[in-house]
Amino acid sequence: MIKAVLVDDERHSVETLAWKLNQFCPKVEVVTQFTDSMEACEYLSKNPPELLFLDIEMPRLNGFELLEKLGTVPFDVIFTTAYDEFGIRAIKFSALDYLLKPVQKDELIEAVEKYTKKNTHHLSSSQLEVLFSNIKEEANGRPGKIALATKESIEFVFPEEIIVCVSDSNYTMVHLQEGRKKLISRTLKDFESLLNGFSFFRVHHSYLANLNHIHEFIRADGGYLIMTNGMKLPVARTRREELLRKF
């Protein structure tokens, strides 16, 4: 059984989540639940669970402040929030999971399944450090670092370090500066959403290109790009006109 703690300042939200976990996620045992973030913080410092469902917007301590106050987090976290706004990009960039309220049955089941498949079930100090840094960067309107998580490690990079993302079924090969590359267990569609608002463009169904790393556009052979790392990317005919407008 996965021992879980729920923290949400709204009583109906925490009770509903506890009921849904009991009904649809039999692997999860809700040990206790809190509506007061300060009380939750004191409990968690002495009684760390395996998994914490943590609301973001709360009085006294919000979810991020609670984690920062704890210092070390020897458990995993799934954030819950009613708003697809503050902190969500920082969470996504840090390779953490979140659920939008009201929490949907299928999304809850998927989040728990994703947790069970992880190799490590706690937040590393570097992951927390990047999360807090990304929150501050997001508040100032600047990009943070993206977590590229593999089975072996988590590397944190700025969006501008990514040259090309290439689809590989349900995985994505991320090509970075200096010839480095990482195979990430996320779809290209996930990366397209994650990098929305930065200088990335889906030039082909299999390729997401950083426009700042385009070296040359070749008109021959239907049109293709030469990137700064030497990669040649085909440009879909339906995307060629929009791509050229971006230049």
Side-chain angles (χ1 to χ4, degrees):
M1 295 289 285
I2 302 165
K3 297 188 181 301
V5 170
L6 317 184
V7 181
D8 193 313
D9 65 298
E10 297 177 330
R11 172 64 62 185
H12 73 277
S13 291
V14 78
E15 289 179 348
T16 300
L17 180 56
W19 182 85
K20 287 183 178 179
L21 285 166
N22 182 59
Q23 292 292 310
F24 309 121
C25 303
K27 296 177 183 176
V28 178
E29 176 192 353
V30 177
V31 177
T32 188
Q33 47 195 273
F34 293 91
T35 55
D36 186 301
S37 56
M38 289 293 289
E39 290 179 7
C41 187
E42 183 177 352
Y43 174 88
L44 291 166
S45 66
K46 300 171 184 174
N47 308 278
E50 294 174 273
L51 180 60
L52 173 66
F53 288 85
L54 179 62
D55 187 26
I56 295 177
E57 292 293 338
M58 296 184 292
R60 303 184 75 185
L61 288 176
N62 68 35
F64 302 130
E65 291 168 340
L66 185 152
L67 291 179
E68 198 163 17
K69 189 174 179 65
L70 282 173
T72 58
V73 182
F75 48 82
D76 211 337
V77 178
I78 296 176
F79 291 96
T80 60
T81 178
Y83 309 100
D84 193 2
E85 297 175 358
F86 172 70
I88 295 301
R89 171 161 278 177
I91 291 170
K92 289 179 178 179
F93 270 28
S94 303
L96 298 174
D97 210 354
Y98 74 97
L99 295 165
L100 285 178
K101 296 189 289 185
V103 175
Q104 301 301 307
K105 167 190 169 184
D106 292 344
E107 293 176 357
L108 178 61
I109 293 172
E110 183 181 353
V112 171
E113 285 301 312
K114 194 184 297 183
Y115 164 85
T116 61
K117 292 176 182 177
K118 286 184 176 181
N119 289 333
T120 57
H121 295 121
H122 63 86
L123 303 191
S124 67
S125 57
S126 59
Q127 204 168 6
L128 280 172
E129 185 180 329
V130 168
L131 172 64
F132 300 142
S133 173
N134 283 351
I135 291 164
K136 292 173 184 175
E137 294 298 315
E138 183 179 331
N140 292 322
R142 295 192 296 264
K145 284 186 174 182
I146 297 174
L148 299 179
T150 66
K151 288 183 178 180
E152 295 77 29
S153 66
I154 302 178
E155 181 177 357
F156 299 94
V157 303
F158 287 108
E160 60 264 28
E161 295 179 67
I162 299 173
I163 299 174
V164 180
C165 297
V166 183
S167 176
D168 187 356
S169 186
N170 289 325
Y171 291 79
T172 297
M173 183 65 77
V174 179
H175 293 259
L176 302 157
Q177 292 175 335
E178 300 172 355
R180 294 178 298 116
K181 56 186 180 181
K182 296 271 187 179
L183 184 63
I184 309 300
S185 179
R186 301 177 80 161
T187 65
L188 190 61
K189 185 177 180 180
D190 290 336
F191 274 98
E192 186 177 17
S193 173
L194 189 67
L195 294 166
N196 182 39
F198 297 97
S199 298
F200 286 82
F201 184 72
R202 188 85 171 259
V203 298
H204 184 276
H205 73 272
S206 296
Y207 298 95
L208 180 68
N210 185 337
L211 299 179
N212 293 325
H213 278 284
I214 294 175
H215 176 68
E216 192 174 3
F217 174 68
I218 306 298
R219 296 181 183 276
D221 300 324
Y224 63 92
L225 298 173
I226 299 177
M227 307 302 289
T228 53
N229 64 351
M231 289 180 68
K232 294 181 179 180
L233 309 184
V235 178
R237 184 175 56 188
T238 55
R239 302 179 190 231
R240 180 172 175 172
E241 187 177 333
E242 186 179 352
L243 173 65
L244 291 175
R245 284 201 301 267
K246 290 184 178 292
F247 291 157

